[in-house]
Amino acid sequence: MADFDFPDPHVVALDVAPGDIDAYAHVNNAVYLTWLDRAAWSHSAALGVPLAACLGLRRGMAAQRIEIDYLRAALPGDRLQAATWIVSADARLRVTRRFQIRRPADGATLARARVDYVCINLDSGRAVRMPPSFAAAYVPTVPAAAGVRS
């Protein structure tokens, strides 16, 4: 795990599927959003906030802003890793995650991303204060000493 940007990542394994490839013979940029979402959901479940809990509470963390830096192309047949960390959380409304997508075969980082989330009411779509279970689960997973900016 030494090739990740920060310590203790939550990592999801990814295999590039034929449907991920676009006319340029590499993974389409939109597919990266799916991978980020998959990593975030996996991490949320590991933290005790699975989809079923969100649906039961009628609350969820919705992406408000997404930034992705594409560094290298993912190619057909690649096996990848998507890592995520929570870098900031206010225990009220907002959570920021960082992501890194890398190819273990050569150690290359293919993309880095930042996603800002806001807690919403699933019925109205409006921003709402986090339930206590969200506030307890969504805490920074990167030590302040790591020097990460949210």
Side-chain angles (χ1 to χ4, degrees):
M1 299 276 179
D3 293 328
F4 286 106
D5 291 341
F6 306 108
D8 301 319
H10 178 85
V11 180
V12 174
L14 305 167
D15 290 314
V16 173
D20 297 336
I21 305 302
D22 64 17
Y24 293 155
H26 66 241
V27 171
N28 185 276
N29 292 8
V31 173
Y32 286 79
L33 290 172
T34 302
W35 291 343
L36 301 180
D37 194 52
R38 189 179 308 166
W41 273 113
S42 174
H43 192 213
S44 290
L47 294 172
V49 185
L51 177 59
C54 296
L55 295 175
L57 293 168
R58 303 305 301 151
R59 299 293 183 268
M61 299 305 295
Q64 181 182 40
R65 183 166 197 257
I66 300 170
E67 296 175 15
I68 302 175
D69 293 320
Y70 299 99
L71 306 171
R72 295 187 183 183
L75 305 170
D78 276 350
R79 302 200 83 185
L80 308 174
Q81 296 172 316
T84 188
W85 304 262
I86 295 174
V87 296
S88 68
D90 67 7
R92 292 183 308 276
L93 188 66
R94 300 181 188 285
V95 171
T96 299
R97 285 182 176 278
R98 295 283 294 270
F99 296 86
Q100 180 182 4
I101 297 177
R102 63 184 299 274
R103 185 174 41 231
D106 62 3
T109 293
L110 307 183
R112 289 188 174 92
R114 170 191 158 151
V115 180
D116 296 331
Y117 297 89
V118 64
C119 186
I120 63 167
N121 177 311
L122 297 180
D123 297 316
S124 70
R126 294 181 185 243
V128 65
R129 188 174 185 90
M130 285 183 201
S133 59
F134 283 34
Y138 293 128
V139 297
T141 58
V142 175
V148 64
R149 290 185 6 239
S150 62

